[in-house]
Amino acid sequence: MAAARILNDTSAPDYFIYERQDLANVSRDGVCGVKFVDGTLDYYTRSFANEQEAESEGYTVTHGEKCGICSELKILAAWLVHTDLTTPVRKCSAMNWIPGYMEECMRRLGFTDSCAKLWKDNARWTAKHCGAVCMKSWIFGEQYTSGNRTLNECLECDERNSGPILKAFSGRTRRNSGIITAINRTDNEMYYPKHKYFNFIRQ
């Protein structure tokens, strides 16, 4: 999947994404589909209302909710390798004040430049609104979730304050891609695509 090449424009906006608070409540309902160009590893992504509509157009669903900047298969491949992104991304964001550091750190995790930019903006916003509770969480080594799958105070703050805008731009999340991570989620938070792509490439 990492070798596949998207043909859509996935450029990140040149502004701080959290300036767009108007997008926090915009519906992301639907699915994101992938369709390969015959005989190649080049592909397009496109948003659809549901799985049936995507499949009728020859697309296979890659994640729940509409497509976005992080919908590339390269991102999916990276996230399947790094099932705990919270720890490495936290280390990247700790040096976010150094120009270019976080983007390079995220690229080493397999992120594209555009998706890394979104996550950098997310880290900056979370530090502003959740810095104190997250520092406490890190110092005391809190578990990500409790026994009843309730998020710790840091992650809950991040999801409430930063999550809606990040998802509005990114499209793909680990949850809507069906990826089981170190953060223990409930089934009703997950969407499980089949991730069967390469039968769509005709040789």
Side-chain angles (χ1 to χ4, degrees):
M1 286 187 292
R5 184 173 65 119
I6 192 168
L7 298 177
N8 305 69
D9 180 12
T10 56
S11 302
D14 59 2
Y15 54 82
F16 183 55
I17 64 173
Y18 288 90
E19 294 173 0
R20 295 295 311 274
Q21 290 297 317
D22 58 300
L23 297 178
N25 296 313
V26 172
S27 173
R28 301 291 303 166
D29 290 349
V31 297
C32 180
V34 166
K35 185 176 184 179
F36 283 92
V37 176
D38 286 356
T40 77
L41 288 175
D42 296 341
Y43 67 95
Y44 291 96
T45 57
R46 180 176 156 192
S47 299
F48 295 91
N50 52 54
E51 292 182 14
Q52 292 73 25
E53 183 180 298
E55 291 170 0
S56 72
E57 294 289 333
Y59 283 72
T60 186
V61 173
T62 187
H63 65 74
E65 302 179 296
K66 294 178 182 177
C67 302
I69 292 168
C70 300
S71 293
E72 294 191 43
L73 294 178
K74 180 177 181 179
I75 299 299
L76 174 61
W79 290 357
L80 288 170
V81 172
H82 301 284
T83 54
D84 178 8
L85 275 174
T86 303
T87 300
V89 170
R90 181 183 295 166
K91 292 177 180 177
C92 292
S93 62
M95 303 296 284
N96 201 5
W97 55 275
I98 300 176
Y101 179 89
M102 185 167 180
E103 294 96 321
E104 177 58 31
C105 188
M106 300 293 284
R107 280 194 290 268
R108 290 197 295 269
L109 293 173
F111 280 64
T112 62
D113 290 348
S114 296
C115 191
K117 194 272 182 187
L118 300 187
W119 280 55
K120 178 183 178 180
D121 286 0
N122 175 79
R124 176 179 159 191
W125 191 255
T126 298
K128 178 179 179 180
H129 293 274
C130 308
V133 296
C134 286
M135 185 62 69
K136 173 189 169 187
S137 174
W138 302 340
I139 290 172
F140 289 99
E142 292 180 350
Q143 297 295 313
Y144 295 150
T145 57
S146 65
N148 62 358
R149 299 186 182 181
T150 301
L151 296 175
N152 69 32
E153 193 176 1
C154 171
L155 293 178
E156 193 280 327
C157 182
D158 173 64
E159 289 214 350
R160 183 179 66 252
N161 288 282
S162 302
I165 297 299
L166 178 63
K167 287 189 286 187
F169 283 93
S170 67
R172 184 184 299 285
T173 67
R174 289 168 290 173
R175 274 172 283 172
N176 70 20
S177 301
I179 300 172
I180 306 300
T181 72
I183 301 174
N184 193 11
R185 301 289 186 176
T186 60
D187 284 341
N188 62 9
E189 294 179 275
M190 303 290 290
Y191 177 86
Y192 296 100
K194 297 175 183 176
H195 293 310
K196 293 182 179 178
Y197 303 104
F198 296 105
N199 6 338
F200 285 79
I201 305 175
R202 299 187 186 91
Q203 300 298 334

